[in-house]
Amino acid sequence: MNEPQLLHAVAAAAVLCLTGHAHAQDFPPRKPVTLVVGFAPGGAADAAARLIAKKLGDDVGQTVIIDNKAGAGGNIAHQYVAHGPTDGSMLLFGSIGPLTIAPHVMKVGYDPFKDLAAVSGGVNFPNVLVVHKGLGVKTLSDFVALSKKKPGSVDFASTGAGSASHLAGELFNQRAGIDMVHVPYKGGAPALQDLLGQRIASYFSAPPTALPHVEAGNLIPLATTGLTRPAYMPNIPTVAESGYPNFEALNWYAFVAPGKTPVAILERWNQAVVKVLADPGVKEALNKHGLTPQPTTRAELTDFMKKEDAKWSAIVRDRKITAN
């Protein structure tokens, strides 16, 4: 090969390399985007994800499909995405449990800080402790009294071992000196179904799933788990003001992606998600569901996750919580 031919070959290879790199950085991806949700349809995570996904798809000009992969408190979905495609075509509506609690409770097939990459915060909200009418309690103090009168006979539902609703219950066990029995479910909808059927006594529920049944008089709300009363439940006291100062167990969801997704694509998704969460129509719709938008930078989300990780790992150690 003579010198001109060599130069031409090198130039062609460089163009091919650059073209391939450009294709690898395509945004939006050249195929539909999958937004994975770790819980069954009908719960808070699913409702929020569907609200956001429609606007997100419209904004970026690509279809965003919801894929519900329920089970193990959301861990199945997180493991699935941790090993998913890295071309920007897969996102996860990650949650507090699998991202900052479950790794301290059980063996999981992913490292939240290595195998998943931060994109942006999503939404947050307090839980609300609700009981069925047949339990015969109307206040949090009534509930505690019943639990102490019959140790180990009062149970509480959660969306899975290591989930936010599980740890809210364990934290309350600790603070109130009671011994509620944990019963894990595959999502908020099936947990709520058994609560309404009086097959379970109580549930630290997400407000979007519980509120319609509270308003219909089928469930009794005892307390919310934030430090202040949410605007949509102004007459329901917080756990903190009901005799347990500084009690806080917020639920939150955040957008993450497979860990090896290129930074350039992660940044573009961050911009797109933040834009959607700032949209007045989306904010209003989320607020109606009791959800507060929580857009962040990628670095802010990582810092937030590390703080939550430290907080809940301490509770897991103190309560000697396991997946069993």
Side-chain angles (χ1 to χ4, degrees):
M1 181 181 293
N2 57 35
E3 185 174 351
Q5 290 174 321
L6 178 61
L7 291 174
H8 179 76
V10 170
V15 170
L16 182 61
C17 180
L18 289 172
T19 302
H21 181 70
H23 287 170
Q25 303 293 316
D26 279 344
F27 187 88
R30 297 186 175 189
K31 58 184 178 181
V33 175
T34 299
L35 177 57
V36 179
V37 178
F39 302 98
D46 183 68
R50 290 179 188 278
L51 278 171
I52 296 168
K54 177 62 170 62
K55 178 63 174 173
L56 190 62
D58 291 343
D59 282 1
V60 303
Q62 184 57 277
T63 302
V64 179
I65 302 168
I66 300 295
D67 184 5
N68 296 92
K69 290 193 175 299
N75 297 325
I76 290 174
H78 287 64
Q79 180 173 336
Y80 175 74
V81 174
H83 304 290
T86 60
D87 59 358
S89 65
M90 179 173 286
L91 296 172
L92 169 67
F93 201 45
S95 57
I96 173 179
L99 291 176
T100 63
I101 299 172
H104 305 291
V105 175
M106 66 188 78
K107 289 184 179 180
V108 296
Y110 59 92
D111 183 322
F113 295 96
K114 293 181 181 179
D115 299 323
L116 294 168
V119 173
S120 170
V123 298
N124 67 60
F125 51 91
N127 290 303
V128 55
L129 175 59
V130 287
V131 298
H132 63 74
K133 294 187 298 183
L135 196 63
V137 302
K138 294 184 178 180
T139 67
L140 190 62
S141 60
D142 290 343
F143 182 76
V144 171
L146 177 64
S147 298
K148 288 184 175 181
K149 182 179 180 180
K150 300 179 179 179
S153 65
V154 175
D155 46 21
F156 75 99
S158 84
T159 53
S163 65
S165 49
H166 176 197
L167 267 289
E170 294 292 357
L171 180 60
F172 191 63
N173 268 340
Q174 179 195 59
R175 294 293 303 277
I178 58 178
D179 187 26
M180 294 184 295
V181 177
H182 173 229
V183 181
Y185 287 81
K186 289 186 177 182
L192 195 66
Q193 183 177 3
D194 268 9
L195 180 63
L196 290 167
Q198 300 191 11
R199 290 179 288 275
I200 197 84
S202 64
Y203 176 33
F204 283 86
S205 174
T209 55
L211 271 174
H213 304 285
V214 169
E215 292 169 351
N218 296 319
L219 293 178
I220 299 172
L222 302 182
T224 56
T225 63
L227 292 178
T228 59
R229 299 186 185 192
Y232 48 84
M233 300 185 88
N235 299 319
I236 307 304
T238 65
V239 175
E241 67 182 297
S242 300
Y244 307 94
N246 301 315
F247 183 100
E248 183 179 35
L250 290 179
N251 208 329
W252 52 264
Y253 294 91
F255 289 87
V256 296
K260 294 183 179 180
T261 303
V263 172
I265 291 179
L266 294 172
E267 291 292 349
R268 292 294 298 275
W269 272 126
N270 172 265
Q271 294 168 17
V273 170
V274 168
K275 179 182 178 183
V276 168
L277 292 175
D279 180 84
V282 172
K283 290 173 67 175
E284 181 180 3
L286 290 172
N287 288 334
K288 285 182 178 178
H289 281 76
L291 307 170
T292 301
Q294 188 183 21
T296 67
T297 65
R298 295 185 58 239
E300 287 170 342
L301 175 56
T302 298
D303 289 344
F304 173 75
M305 285 173 53
K306 288 180 178 178
K307 290 177 181 177
E308 287 283 282
D309 183 81
K311 170 184 176 179
W312 292 113
S313 64
I315 297 297
V316 169
R317 290 193 303 271
D318 181 66
R319 294 288 299 163
K320 297 180 174 58
I321 299 170
T322 67
N324 297 325

